[in-house]
């Protein structure tokens, strides 16, 4: 009898976030709601194609003259656009050549290229992620070969930041620790440090003798207050000259999820350092996927490079941001009307797409099994998937589940 090469391979568990979408897609219940994945949906439940994106995508298809390879580090106009959004056009890190940016396959691709890069040069380092953090952070850094630990972040009793414990933990990390921070719209809690708290965090990195390595995940620029305000933490690190890595994503802000548009930026101390770092990043990219894909990034570059198009994009982005804010209010109001006890007002203070509801994993399972409402087991809900039609159903289901 032939034994298959693969007979010993066991079934892997479904992905904690994207696995929910797979289950949701198979669910025949017409009332089903996917509050799992962090994807913005409009009031009709559709993932929108932004008007300015559609227009520029068509224009690009007509303008394109070749399908030759892109450079390993991506389209120059695109990486320039990333730097301008991250740091502002007049930033010294740009004019002094202290920022290196490569195009990456979404924010996740930026994280992975960054993780592989650090692993190569700081092989003793361990990684520290917030407790809790995006479900994929741990798995991603582990797959790059790191031991992954966590630092205190969320305080369930106040629904806020456990700042003193966070700082205490960061102050006692071993040399060369990689610390993963969320620039804004913390995933999954929606709880961000204040500007004053960011000052303390940045100073901790600036003055530490332990050479900590900040790795900032910036997937939701524009979903909290606006593109400029949301860059506060990143610009603070730049202003203080703190070497760090920044993975950014345009999946959400341009609603270009499947085009995999993101980047990795590294802040260095000099143009010469930047040149060396870039050469090594290109090695990492070349040995992973050779070079990036074109279409989505060309569209983003076109929009970011033209002030009028960029203004139209900012307006559409603001529309998404404001609709989420409105849904937060309707959600809190709906929970109250459905008779849910307790004060859920904290949901209106959280930033970005997510709300961390505090439901137990049993309640999360019950909502999925009995109501076809899908959410991450940590109790994270994507408020950006709610609309005026489904919010009542969701609130009533939560009320029934909490009885
Ligand atoms: C999320 O957290 O749901 C998003 O960032 C999508 C993803 O890739 O997990």
């Amino acid at each position: 009898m032939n034994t298959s090469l693969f007979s010993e391979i066991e079934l892997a568990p479904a992905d904690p976030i994207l696995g929910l979408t797979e289950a949701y897609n198979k669910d025949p219940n017409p009332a089903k709601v996917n509050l799992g994945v962090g994807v913005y949906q409009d009031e009709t439940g559709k993932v929108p194609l932004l008007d300015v994106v559609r227009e520029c995508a068509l224009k690009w298809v007509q303008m394109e003259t070749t399908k030759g390879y892109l450079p390993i580090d991506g389209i120059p106009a695109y990486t320039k656009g990333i730097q301008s959004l991250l740091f502002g056009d007049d930033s010294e890190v740009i004019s002094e050549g202290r920022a290196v940016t490569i195009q990456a396959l979404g924010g996740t691709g930026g994280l992975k290229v960054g993780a592989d890069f650090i692993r190569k040069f700081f092989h003793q380092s361990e990684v520290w992620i917030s407790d809790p953090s995006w479900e994929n952070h741990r798995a991603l850094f582990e797959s790059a070969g790191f031991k992954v630990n966590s630092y205190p972040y969320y305080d369930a009793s106040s629904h806020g930041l456990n700042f003193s414990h966070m700082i205490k933990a960061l102050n006692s990390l071993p040399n060369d620790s990689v610390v993963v921070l969320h620039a804004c719209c913390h995933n999954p809690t929606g709880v961000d440090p204040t500007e004053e708290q960011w000052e303390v965090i940045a100073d901790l990195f600036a003055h530490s003798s332990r050479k900590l390595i900040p790795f900032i995940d910036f997937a939701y620029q524009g979903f909290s207050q606006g593109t400029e305000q949301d860059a506060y933490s990143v610009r603070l690190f730049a202003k203080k000259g703190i070497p760090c890595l920044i993975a950014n994503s345009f999946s959400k802000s341009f609603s270009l999820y499947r085009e995999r548009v993101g980047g990795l930026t590294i802040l260095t101390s000099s143009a010469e350092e930047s040149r060396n770092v870039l050469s090594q990043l290109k090695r990492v990219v070349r040995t992973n996927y050779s070079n990036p894909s074109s279409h989505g990034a060309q569209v983003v570059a076109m929009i970011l490079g033209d002030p009028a198009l960029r203004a139209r994009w900012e307006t559409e982005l603001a529309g998404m941001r404001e609709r989420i804010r409105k849904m937060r209010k309707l959600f809190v109001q709906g929970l109250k009307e459905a008779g849910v006890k307790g004060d859920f007002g904290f949901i209106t203070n959280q930033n970005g797409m997510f709300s961390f509801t505090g439901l137990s994993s049993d309640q999360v399972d019950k909502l999925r099994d009995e109501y076809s409402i899908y959410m991450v087991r940590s109790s994270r809900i994507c408020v950006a998937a709610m609309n005026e039609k489904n919010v009542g159903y969701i609130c009533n289901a939560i009320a029934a589940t909490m009885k």
Side-chain angles (χ1 to χ4, degrees):
M1 203 172 77
N2 281 346
T3 339
S4 161
L5 270 182
F6 310 115
S7 57
E8 299 297 310
I9 295 177
E10 290 172 5
L11 186 69
D15 182 80
I17 296 176
L18 299 184
L20 291 173
T21 304
E22 291 167 16
Y24 167 86
N25 287 340
K26 285 190 203 139
D27 190 332
N29 184 351
K32 64 185 177 177
V33 191
N34 186 1
L35 303 178
V37 68
V39 169
Y40 175 88
Q41 296 170 32
D42 64 17
E43 54 286 347
T44 67
K46 205 169 76 20
V47 181
L49 183 52
L50 303 186
D51 286 343
V52 69
V53 166
R54 180 195 294 278
E55 193 179 300
C56 292
L58 289 172
K59 202 150 133 202
W60 177 251
V61 168
Q62 280 160 357
M63 282 165 66
E64 192 168 41
T65 54
T66 178
K67 290 288 184 189
Y69 288 124
L70 289 184
I72 298 175
D73 49 335
I75 302 162
Y78 175 81
T79 51
K80 185 167 180 258
I82 290 179
Q83 292 194 353
S84 114
L85 266 184
L86 294 186
F87 306 117
D89 284 326
D90 52 1
S91 161
E92 283 179 0
V93 293
I94 301 177
S95 60
E96 292 170 8
R98 288 188 282 121
V100 182
T101 300
I102 61 146
Q103 185 178 330
L105 306 182
T108 309
L111 286 167
K112 182 63 164 68
V113 171
D116 286 349
F117 168 82
I118 307 169
R119 180 78 186 150
K120 201 162 161 185
F121 296 102
F122 302 86
H123 40 267
Q124 305 292 353
S125 293
E126 294 186 6
V127 171
W128 300 76
I129 60 175
S130 59
D131 177 21
S133 200
W134 178 44
E135 306 277 342
N136 206 24
H137 274 150
R138 177 177 293 279
L140 185 145
F141 283 99
E142 282 178 353
S143 90
F146 289 101
K147 177 168 188 294
V148 180
N149 313 280
S150 60
Y151 60 84
Y153 189 84
Y154 185 65
D155 178 3
S157 60
S158 69
H159 303 286
L161 178 61
N162 192 347
F163 189 62
S164 58
H165 283 83
M166 172 184 177
I167 293 299
K168 196 163 163 231
L170 297 187
N171 265 321
S172 59
L173 300 186
N175 288 355
D176 294 336
S177 294
V178 180
V179 181
V180 180
L181 300 162
H182 303 224
C184 71
C185 306
H186 182 269
N187 180 1
T189 67
V191 173
D192 294 321
T194 61
E195 293 188 356
E196 292 73 32
Q197 289 169 332
W198 272 119
E199 284 282 345
V200 177
I201 296 168
D203 282 343
L204 188 152
F205 286 96
H207 302 134
S208 169
S209 55
R210 288 168 291 121
K211 280 198 166 177
L212 301 176
I213 306 169
F215 198 154
I216 306 178
D217 189 347
F218 200 5
Y220 297 93
Q221 185 169 7
F223 277 87
S224 178
Q225 310 301 319
T227 50
E228 295 294 296
Q229 299 93 316
D230 293 355
Y232 182 83
S233 52
V234 163
R235 293 185 187 181
L236 187 65
F237 275 65
K239 194 174 86 190
K240 290 181 186 279
I242 305 168
C244 63
L245 292 87
I246 304 154
N248 82 288
S249 170
F250 296 131
S251 298
K252 338 271 169 176
S253 54
F254 282 80
S255 197
L256 272 171
Y257 303 86
R258 64 179 59 174
E259 294 290 349
R260 311 311 297 135
V261 276
L264 172 69
T265 296
I266 300 193
L267 284 183
T268 70
S269 301
S270 67
E272 194 197 343
E273 233 178 75
S274 292
R275 196 194 55 191
N276 297 346
V277 165
L278 177 61
S279 70
Q280 293 294 347
L281 287 177
K282 285 163 74 175
R283 295 295 307 147
V284 176
V285 169
R286 177 69 172 138
T287 51
N288 268 294
Y289 53 89
S290 193
N291 49 72
S293 57
S294 167
H295 184 76
Q298 295 285 7
V299 173
V300 171
M302 195 188 283
I303 295 170
L304 293 182
D306 177 310
L309 294 173
R310 179 170 164 170
R312 283 177 54 196
W313 165 65
E314 294 263 6
T315 304
E316 292 195 65
L317 175 56
M320 294 195 273
R321 179 170 67 239
E322 278 150 24
R323 201 191 77 77
I324 298 173
R325 209 161 278 147
K326 179 168 129 202
M327 289 320 302
R328 284 190 183 281
K329 290 207 184 103
L330 291 179
F331 181 41
V332 174
Q333 195 181 313
L335 288 173
K336 202 166 167 198
E337 283 166 11
V340 176
K341 292 202 184 61
D343 181 9
F344 282 83
F346 64 88
I347 289 173
T348 51
N349 300 330
Q350 295 165 331
N351 296 319
M353 288 193 176
F354 304 117
S355 178
F356 206 54
T357 59
L359 294 172
S360 69
S361 43
D362 282 351
Q363 289 167 331
V364 170
D365 290 348
K366 202 164 165 203
L367 283 164
R368 185 196 58 220
D369 297 342
E370 294 180 16
Y371 298 92
S372 299
I373 295 175
Y374 292 77
M375 64 177 82
V376 181
R377 284 196 103 218
S378 64
S379 90
R380 187 191 85 169
I381 279 185
C382 179
V383 185
M386 290 186 186
N387 56 50
E388 290 184 40
K389 283 209 197 84
N390 66 20
V391 67
Y393 175 69
I394 296 164
C395 292
N396 288 331
I398 291 177
T401 308
M402 287 178 80
K403 268 198 189 121

